[in-house]
Amino acid sequence: MSDALQAAATVSPQHREVLALFLERLDLIEQQIGRLKQSISAALEAHQQAVARLAAVPGFGIDSAQQVIAEIGPTAATFSTPGELASWVGVCPGLPKATARCD
């Protein structure tokens, strides 16, 4: 943080103070994100195998896998067909989410 402020020699003291406040806020937000990630991980602890399997899919990571599991459940049991899930997700071109078919 101080490196960035030291490198900007033409920034006025008032602007440095404002920048320092923004950097402090950014640090706080990053700490809060870390706490929330821990909380989400703890809440999904019972579903770690499902999260790990989904995170192994190319393009997914732990965060996105946790989000999907939180949204649809570890087995997607809410949906009676894969097409229904695809439609709900919105990956069936031309079909609204309410449509239950994706052939």
Side-chain angles (χ1 to χ4, degrees), residues 10-54:
T10 60
V11 177
S12 72
Q14 292 81 14
H15 287 121
R16 286 177 189 272
E17 185 176 353
V18 171
L19 288 172
L21 290 172
F22 278 123
L23 289 172
E24 287 175 20
R25 185 178 299 170
L26 180 60
D27 285 341
L28 174 62
I29 290 169
E30 287 176 347
Q31 290 172 14
Q32 291 172 334
I33 288 171
R35 287 174 41 200
L36 289 171
K37 282 184 176 186
Q38 289 175 345
S39 177
I40 291 166
S41 184
L44 291 173
E45 189 172 338
H47 306 294
Q48 284 307 308
Q49 289 181 346
V51 170
R53 282 193 311 270
L54 191 54

Side-chain angles (χ1 to χ4, degrees), residues 47 50 53 68-70 72-77:
H47 306 294
R53 282 193 311 270
V68 169
I69 299 298
I72 66 170
T75 63

Side-chain angles (χ1 to χ4, degrees), residues 66 90 98:
Q66 287 176 333

